[in-house]
Amino acid sequence: MTLEEVCAKSTPNIAGLYEGVRQAAEELVKRCYNRGVNIRITQGLRTIAEQDALYAQGRTKPGAKVTNARGGYSFHNFGVAIDFVLMASGYDVKADADKDGQADWYEVVEEAKKLGFVWGGDWKSFVDFPHFEMTFGLTTAQYRAGRRPTQAQINEVLARIEATKGEDGEMTIEEKAAFKELQETVASQAKRIETLEGRAKMVKVPAWAESACVAAKKAGAIDTANDGSYDFYRLITVMYRRGFFGPADAVPVKEGV
């Protein structure tokens, strides 16, 4: 899936989030995608009525308990909390779908904390693994009383998003593929350069060029035959065969000349 397609899965559920929290949620989806982990935000703003219905589950209605908060007592009710799910493996906190040696769930947690979210998985009571919240230091009682984050607090969140972009040099999937291709190219070129350098300066005179070098030095054509290149020895040998350094011995031209 493309980044745009992954983001679109979460768009309806983050639309009602409080300013700053919505931007952080959008950034979380993007950063997880760039790490090879696709997530979907399943819950954002939740109405009081929706919260009461969830609270009733496992109490006055069938089903397992999913929350300890009545309507007005959850940060979801004020648009400052989100829940998520892994698109590849659901709620499996041990899954490693991108095969990078780190559980996908905790890659998401890592990115969320960088953005300033508090993770429900760190709570001591009623641990909530899919939950993140950004409360701006306010309690649900203060939200119920009408308190809201200041613009300065929102600006701080936006500044944190910008400050942590590209942190640790994290690359996108496309960048990782391009980098791997570049590494392979560099390795191939390094081997070629090593071969060319070896031919450019040979450790000793090749056996097939010894007679030619002796004749060339005797004729005064060269001062020394040491540290010559493959092409140098080949040229001296060809000239030797053509009689440039006097009569050539009947030495057969070996492979490589």
Side-chain angles (χ1 to χ4, degrees):
M1 297 179 70
T2 66
L3 174 59
E4 290 72 20
E5 291 171 330
V6 172
C7 289
K9 299 287 185 181
S10 297
T11 299
N13 296 322
I14 65 176
L17 291 173
Y18 203 80
E19 184 182 1
V21 182
R22 178 179 57 79
Q23 289 92 326
E26 290 176 346
E27 186 67 16
L28 178 62
V29 174
K30 293 175 183 178
R31 293 188 186 190
C32 291
Y33 177 87
N34 288 339
R35 292 185 66 157
V37 179
N38 293 343
I39 66 169
R40 179 170 61 87
I41 306 301
T42 58
Q43 286 281 303
L45 176 65
R46 192 183 293 153
T47 66
I48 301 295
E50 289 171 334
Q51 188 68 38
D52 283 333
L54 283 178
Y55 183 76
Q57 185 175 314
R59 294 180 175 85
T60 59
K61 292 183 178 180
K65 291 182 180 180
V66 293
T67 181
N68 280 338
R70 300 189 305 273
Y73 288 80
S74 167
F75 284 111
H76 279 287
N77 304 149
F78 306 100
V80 292
I82 60 174
D83 294 333
F84 79 98
V85 66
L86 298 171
M87 292 177 66
S89 49
Y91 295 98
D92 185 352
V93 299
K94 296 181 179 179
D96 182 18
D98 60 343
K99 307 298 181 185
D100 64 352
Q102 183 178 2
D104 299 339
W105 198 274
Y106 291 93
E107 291 188 72
V108 179
V109 171
E110 183 179 324
E111 294 301 328
K113 288 184 175 181
K114 288 179 185 177
L115 290 164
F117 282 110
V118 171
W119 179 41
D122 288 329
W123 295 343
K124 301 303 180 183
S125 62
F126 200 81
V127 177
D128 194 350
F129 283 99
H131 180 91
F132 295 117
E133 61 186 36
M134 190 179 294
T135 66
F136 300 93
L138 300 176
T139 65
T140 54
Q142 289 173 317
Y143 276 106
R144 289 195 302 275
R147 288 278 300 279
R148 293 295 181 267
T150 65
Q151 188 60 49
Q153 288 176 307
I154 295 171
N155 291 343
E156 184 179 346
V157 171
L158 299 179
R160 183 187 297 115
I161 293 174
E162 290 300 317
T164 56
K165 281 184 177 179
E167 190 171 278
D168 299 326
E170 190 62 44
M171 295 184 289
T172 64
I173 294 174
E174 292 79 7
E175 287 172 336
K176 288 179 180 178
F179 182 67
K180 183 178 180 180
E181 183 179 352
L182 177 60
Q183 285 180 310
E184 293 173 349
T185 300
V186 170
S188 175
Q189 291 297 327
K191 289 181 179 179
R192 177 171 173 77
I193 291 172
E194 184 179 352
T195 300
L196 291 174
E197 287 180 342
R199 293 182 62 171
K201 187 176 182 179
M202 304 184 74
V203 176
K204 63 178 183 178
V205 178
W208 48 263
E210 288 177 355
S211 296
C213 289
V214 170
K217 189 174 181 181
K218 186 176 181 180
I222 59 175
D223 295 326
T224 178
N226 297 329
D227 298 327
S229 68
Y230 175 91
D231 291 334
F232 168 77
Y233 291 123
R234 186 177 187 280
L235 176 61
I236 293 298
T237 301
V238 170
M239 294 176 68
Y240 173 61
R241 300 299 180 206
R242 296 292 180 88
F244 280 87
F245 313 129
D249 297 330
V251 181
V253 178
K254 296 183 180 181
E255 184 179 354
V257 179

